[in-house]
Amino acid sequence: MIVEGQVVIHAPLDRVWEILNDPKQMRQCMPGCAALEDLGSDEYKATLEIGVATLRGSFEARLRLSDKRPPTGYRIDVQAAGMTGEMQGGGTVTLAPQGLGTALTYAGELQVVGLIATIGQRFLAGVVEQMTADFFQGLGKVAETEKELATDGHR
């Protein structure tokens, strides 16, 4: 399954880059993320609570960032496994200034196997799109909240 798109985050490029490289802030953006642990060397371990249709479960995931080009992008690879299946994929995140904000472009591929894959590619693609949209909405909220705090002088 191909996952790609572009969103505009209403925050400066350096702020978006900071969030995308800070596990504490990233956890706030990730739907269903119960835990996100920094393992060092740009590797992370996450516990995700995900529900797709009537299938609900916990996934243990490993995320690895590579090919970093601060502050304009990196590659991310993900492997996740749970009782209902496994997911594996990777892609790129690219940042560019756009007005007073940041254009974030993402492109990647995700493979899903197991019980969770049996619900149908079309339905699963919709769920992945929604989770991606929720992540970027969360990223925007985190970035904009920080911007408001800085503007108010309460940072």
Side-chain angles (χ1 to χ4, degrees):
M1 157 182 353
I2 302 295
V3 181
E4 59 187 2
Q6 183 179 58
V7 297
V8 175
I9 307 295
H10 300 286
L13 183 131
D14 288 338
R15 175 68 185 129
V16 175
W17 177 259
E18 175 189 322
I19 295 168
L20 290 173
N21 286 275
D22 180 344
K24 185 176 179 183
Q25 293 182 80
M26 281 288 290
R27 181 173 177 226
Q28 295 176 50
C29 306
M30 297 171 72
C33 185
L36 183 61
E37 177 184 352
D38 187 347
L39 301 175
S41 300
D42 288 326
E43 291 193 41
Y44 304 90
K45 177 181 172 184
T47 302
L48 306 171
E49 302 293 333
I50 298 175
V52 178
T54 59
L55 297 176
R56 302 217 175 275
S58 180
F59 286 82
E60 291 296 319
R62 295 276 180 156
L63 297 90
R64 183 173 174 272
L65 307 181
S66 61
D67 300 330
K68 282 184 149 182
R69 300 168 314 283
T72 61
Y74 58 61
R75 176 170 179 76
I76 184 167
D77 291 291
V78 179
Q79 292 183 325
M83 294 293 291
T84 57
E86 296 180 15
M87 293 177 256
Q88 170 175 307
T92 58
V93 174
T94 305
L95 305 174
Q98 182 166 330
L100 298 175
T102 301
L104 186 153
T105 304
Y106 58 95
E109 195 169 331
L110 180 67
Q111 294 86 37
V112 181
V113 296
L115 185 58
I116 198 165
T118 64
I119 65 171
Q121 268 320 89
R122 188 178 223 169
F123 182 74
L124 193 56
V127 171
V128 169
E129 285 177 22
Q130 184 60 54
M131 289 180 70
T132 303
D134 290 348
F135 170 79
F136 290 121
Q137 182 178 22
L139 176 64
K141 284 181 182 176
V142 169
E144 290 170 20
T145 299
E146 184 70 20
K147 182 175 68 173
E148 289 168 15
L149 290 174
T151 303
D152 292 343
H154 295 102
R155 188 167 188 202

